[in-house]
Amino acid sequence: MPNQIKRYLSKISQPILDRIDLLVDIPAINYDEILSKTKPESSACIRQRVIRARKLQNERYKDLNINYNSRLSSKEAEEYCVLTPSSKEIIKDFFCNKDLSARSYYRILKTARTIADLEGMEQILDRHVNEALMFRIDSLEVK
């Protein structure tokens, strides 16, 4: 089955894949995870984090007439998706090694901004950039 998925995705052009913000592979749950005593985050908790993140974005962009990070132009993304020096290096290395398009670069920035918002963080940290990059790897490895 994974080979069939890979073969199907390889038929999709990179410019089309560049327009998809998140590509997530969800593996099947294994038996030990079913019996695990650790409780996953509840839907209610996730909902509250999303509501808080949306409020942050509404407040941040109130003068721009947009509501979400995904609506930022590349110029606005540069202004509102400020990276630390180490985060800049992470994304630069990834960009150079994976031959990303400008569109992919800005999608990664906006995704990292959203991940930071979900944590209630004003600053985009390395972990936010790394997580955003993980959502791009599957699409890049299909080529």
Side-chain angles (χ1 to χ4, degrees), residues 7-140:
R7 195 171 33 246
Y8 178 78
L9 286 175
S10 69
K11 295 177 184 180
I12 302 172
S13 72
Q14 194 59 45
I16 297 292
L17 286 173
D18 283 349
R19 287 171 171 80
I20 300 171
D21 288 340
L22 308 174
L23 290 165
V24 183
D25 179 29
I26 309 215
I29 191 167
N30 68 38
Y31 184 74
D32 292 334
E33 290 171 322
I34 293 170
L35 298 179
S36 173
K37 300 293 184 201
T38 59
K39 290 186 179 184
E41 186 176 20
S42 72
S43 294
C45 288
I46 294 169
R47 182 176 191 277
Q48 288 306 310
R49 282 194 305 123
V50 170
I51 289 169
R52 283 193 301 272
R54 288 184 68 179
K55 284 181 184 177
L56 277 172
Q57 291 172 30
N58 283 327
E59 182 61 29
R60 183 184 299 129
Y61 307 129
K62 66 183 173 200
D63 297 331
L64 296 178
N65 199 27
I66 60 174
N67 297 316
Y68 309 108
N69 295 327
S70 63
R71 299 289 185 209
L72 293 171
S73 67
S74 55
K75 183 179 178 182
E76 292 163 342
E78 293 284 344
E79 181 180 347
Y80 291 100
C81 302
V82 179
L83 301 175
T84 65
S86 59
S87 293
K88 285 180 186 178
E89 282 302 311
I90 292 168
I91 200 167
K92 177 183 173 186
D93 289 345
F94 192 85
F95 186 87
C96 293
N97 290 326
K98 297 294 186 177
D99 193 30
L100 293 181
S101 67
R103 180 179 286 121
S104 287
Y105 172 79
Y106 287 108
R107 289 196 181 276
I108 291 166
L109 280 183
K110 293 184 275 187
T111 300
R113 172 73 271 159
T114 299
I115 293 165
D117 288 346
L118 286 167
E119 285 189 17
M121 304 286 296
E122 186 57 37
Q123 179 70 51
I124 298 172
L125 304 175
D126 293 359
R127 70 176 178 262
H128 305 134
V129 170
N130 282 323
E131 186 173 344
L133 292 173
M134 293 303 297
F135 291 120
R136 299 300 309 169
I137 288 174
D138 285 340
S139 70
L140 297 170

Side-chain angles (χ1 to χ4, degrees), residues 1-10 25 142:
M1 187 71 144
N3 286 335
Q4 289 173 322
I5 294 168
K6 200 170 200 172
R7 195 171 33 246
Y8 178 78
L9 286 175
S10 69
D25 179 29
V142 165

